[in-house]
Amino acid sequence: MRLFIMYKKLEQYIEELKADFDSITSSRKEKLREVADYIRSKKESGETARLNFICTHNSRRSHLAQIWTSTAAHYYGIENIETYSGGTEATAFNPRAVVALERAGFKVENSGGVNPGHEVFFSEQSEPMICFSKKFDDEVNPDKNFAAIMTCSDADENCPFVPGAEFRKPITYRDPKESDGTDKEKEIYDERCRQIATEMFYMISKTK
């Protein structure tokens, strides 16, 4: 049961991406279902599933995955999920990724500064998701009994052991950073945002 009415533009975006579930390859669906099984097992044991999405800089893909997973959990009324993100190093939440989220229908407020905090809203009634770049073991993230979801191959290879993680799964995405400064920048960021949104919504839909 959903507790919040989402922004109209975001609601429409979600309805469109749900129609794209069939575009997800079978191999990726298998990985996504494994994470869904982990979430379901935590629910069945009366525990909270804590998902920490990890990439190199915690600037693009890991934030997109965290935000879309949290949004999907609220959309489907799944209450036992907490989402986090981090990197092997900290930089800043990239403004191109932020704008892609705004184009999808989120409202984002930026506190300013070198590594600003961002309040990300999917509804006028909801509390914001607080997003800023940080290392995966930052004090705001869980230090035990969580799932480490590796969203880039570099982080997966360079961080073979994530302390405290009881479950680990690589669900990697191509870095939209490669389009920075090109005439395809907007297209690539929107494409990656949509891909991650579609897969995270599919994953959460399989926890019901």
Side-chain angles (χ1 to χ4, degrees):
M1 177 180 176
R2 275 201 277 168
L3 301 177
F4 305 107
I5 299 173
M6 295 191 175
Y7 296 123
K8 185 175 181 180
K9 182 179 179 181
L10 180 60
E11 185 86 38
Q12 181 179 353
Y13 186 98
I14 291 168
E15 289 303 314
E16 292 173 356
L17 69 82
K18 285 165 55 184
D20 291 338
F21 284 172
D22 288 343
S23 69
I24 305 171
T25 66
S26 57
S27 60
R28 290 189 71 83
K29 281 183 175 179
E30 182 178 351
K31 291 182 178 181
L32 294 165
R33 285 195 293 264
E34 288 179 29
V35 181
D37 289 343
Y38 168 82
I39 295 170
R40 191 182 309 106
S41 71
K42 300 296 281 187
K43 179 179 180 180
E44 291 172 352
S45 63
E47 300 176 76
T48 297
R50 298 178 175 87
L51 311 180
N52 193 358
F53 295 92
I54 301 171
C55 67
T56 302
H57 299 115
N58 191 211
S59 61
R60 297 170 175 83
R61 292 162 286 180
S62 51
H63 273 120
L64 293 175
Q66 174 192 3
I67 289 164
W68 280 115
T69 301
S70 179
T71 303
H74 283 91
Y75 181 89
Y76 287 112
I78 310 298
E79 298 182 358
N80 67 313
I81 300 176
E82 294 177 359
T83 64
Y84 305 86
S85 67
T88 55
E89 58 185 272
T91 53
F93 191 175
N94 190 273
R96 299 170 183 86
V98 173
V99 172
L101 287 167
E102 290 177 325
R103 287 194 293 265
F106 290 95
K107 176 182 175 182
V108 183
E109 296 181 0
N110 183 338
S111 67
V114 176
N115 180 12
H118 294 75
E119 294 187 344
V120 182
F121 297 85
F122 58 77
S123 168
E124 290 294 342
Q125 294 85 32
S126 67
E127 292 294 319
M129 293 172 271
I130 308 299
C131 301
F132 64 97
S133 184
K134 58 203 164 299
K135 293 185 69 173
F136 68 84
D137 58 356
D138 188 272
E139 62 181 10
V140 305
N141 289 342
D143 59 4
K144 62 181 178 180
N145 301 329
F146 66 92
I149 313 300
M150 316 304 288
T151 61
C152 83
S153 56
D154 286 346
D156 190 37
E157 294 168 2
N158 295 330
C159 200
F161 173 67
V162 179
E166 62 181 0
F167 175 87
R168 176 194 177 112
K169 180 60 58 177
I171 302 177
T172 62
Y173 297 94
R174 190 165 179 171
D175 194 350
K177 180 181 179 180
E178 63 188 7
S179 69
D180 288 6
T182 72
D183 57 2
K184 290 196 171 184
E185 182 179 283
K186 177 177 178 292
E187 175 187 345
I188 295 299
Y189 272 84
D190 286 348
E191 180 182 284
R192 194 63 63 247
C193 183
R194 178 75 172 237
Q195 180 191 12
I196 293 173
T198 301
E199 294 193 351
M200 295 303 102
F201 263 74
Y202 174 82
M203 180 180 79
I204 298 302
S205 75
K206 295 302 177 181
T207 67
K208 301 186 70 176

